[in-house]
């Protein structure tokens, strides 16, 4: 089945230690998104790629970066995680970036910062 | 600017009872509206969406929603709740030219026997 895969499902890191979260997709979609979802809150878009074009949300901290080496993979890098970065990180894809396009979500990676 | 308000952060119903989850939106352009469901420690799954055309939209698992422009609402309903419906439900509006989803704060649905 075509799907969005996130690894690992659970990640524990130490305060200030860089961490990378991974997302891959078999849907061959053009757009990939990263959302941050803190406990009992709505998902918040951090950035997205349309093909190789990177689009950063204005309020996304500089501590968060992303890479998309090819169509299938996208990475979220947190350079110096703080306690406030503990959250669920959701990857999503869509075929195109039209407003009607459904976004398909992965199961998420829950990040704990010690 | 687009925004979404979900009335009621927690809703509790009995199994077999009507489910009604409320969503109001604000949009300066004709909106595209979505309902997503999230089970514990899982990603989001699309229940249904409204783009254009018929204002009553049917989705998966017996859910449906009606787009009411005059009320700026997109409430989610299901005639008969099942225990497996217990989850978090998010209403969202599509904003901007790049399919950015603006989510409401979510409603946690509990279903009791």
């Amino acid at each position: 089945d075509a799907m969005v895969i996130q690894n690992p499902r659970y990640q524990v890191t130490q305060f200030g230690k860089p961490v990378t979260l991974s997302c891959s997709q078999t849907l061959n979609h053009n757009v990939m998104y990263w959302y941050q979802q803190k406990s009992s809150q709505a998902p918040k878009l951090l950035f997205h790629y349309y093909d190789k074009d990177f689009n950063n949300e204005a309020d996304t901290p500089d501590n968060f970066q992303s890479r998309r080496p090819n169509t299938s993979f996208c990475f979220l890098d947190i350079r110096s995680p703080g306690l406030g970065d503990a959250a669920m990180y959701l990857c999503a894809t869509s075929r195109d970036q039209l407003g009607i396009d459904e976004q398909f979500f992965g199961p998420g990676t829950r990040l704990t910062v010690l | 600017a687009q925004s979404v308000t979900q009335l009621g952060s927690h809703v509790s119903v009995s199994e077999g009872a009507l489910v009604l989850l409320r969503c109001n939106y604000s949009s300066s352009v004709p909106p595209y509206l979505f309902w997503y469901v999230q089970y514990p420690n899982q990603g989001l799954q699309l229940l249904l969406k409204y783009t254009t055309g018929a204002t009553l939209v049917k989705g998966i698992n017996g859910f449906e929603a009606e787009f009411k422009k005059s009320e700026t609402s997109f409430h989610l309903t299901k005639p008969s709740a099942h225990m497996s419906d217990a989850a978090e439900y998010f209403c969202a509006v599509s904003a901007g030219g790049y399919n950015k989803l603006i989510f409401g704060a979510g409603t946690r649905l509990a279903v009791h026997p």
Side-chain angles (χ1 to χ4, degrees), chain B residues 90-110:
Chain B
F90 291 95
C91 182
V93 63
S94 181
Y98 57 83
N99 201 19
K100 175 178 179 176
L101 285 177
I102 305 296
F103 287 92
T107 298
R108 185 170 298 277
L109 176 66

Side-chain angles (χ1 to χ4, degrees), chain A residues 40-51:
Chain A
S40 301
Q41 294 184 22
K44 178 178 176 295
L45 182 65
L46 294 173
F47 27 59
H48 78 280
Y49 275 94
Y50 179 71
D51 196 11

Side-chain angles (χ1 to χ4, degrees), chain B residues 10-15 81-83 85-87 89 108-112:
Chain B
H10 290 81
V11 171
S12 181
V13 300
S14 300
E15 191 172 22
H82 192 272
M83 298 295 288
D85 295 326
Y89 291 80
R108 185 170 298 277
L109 176 66
V111 182
H112 52 85

Side-chain angles (χ1 to χ4, degrees), chain A residues 9-10 33 35 37 41-43 45 48 57 88 90 94 97-103 105-107 110, chain B residues 32 34 36 38 41-46 49 51 90 94 96-101 103-106 108:
Chain A
R9 293 293 312 276
Y10 300 89
Y33 309 81
Y35 289 86
Q37 185 181 24
Q41 294 184 22
L45 182 65
H48 78 280
E57 292 299 300
M88 175 79 91
L90 297 168
S94 65
Q97 58 182 17
L98 301 174
I100 62 173
D101 287 328
E102 175 185 351
Q103 292 188 23
F105 285 80
R110 183 168 295 282
Chain B
Y32 299 129
F34 304 80
Y36 281 86
Q38 185 177 34
N41 291 315
Q42 296 294 325
L44 279 69
Q45 180 184 10
L46 181 69
K49 68 178 180 181
T51 54
F90 291 95
S94 181
Y98 57 83
N99 201 19
K100 175 178 179 176
L101 285 177
F103 287 92
R108 185 170 298 277

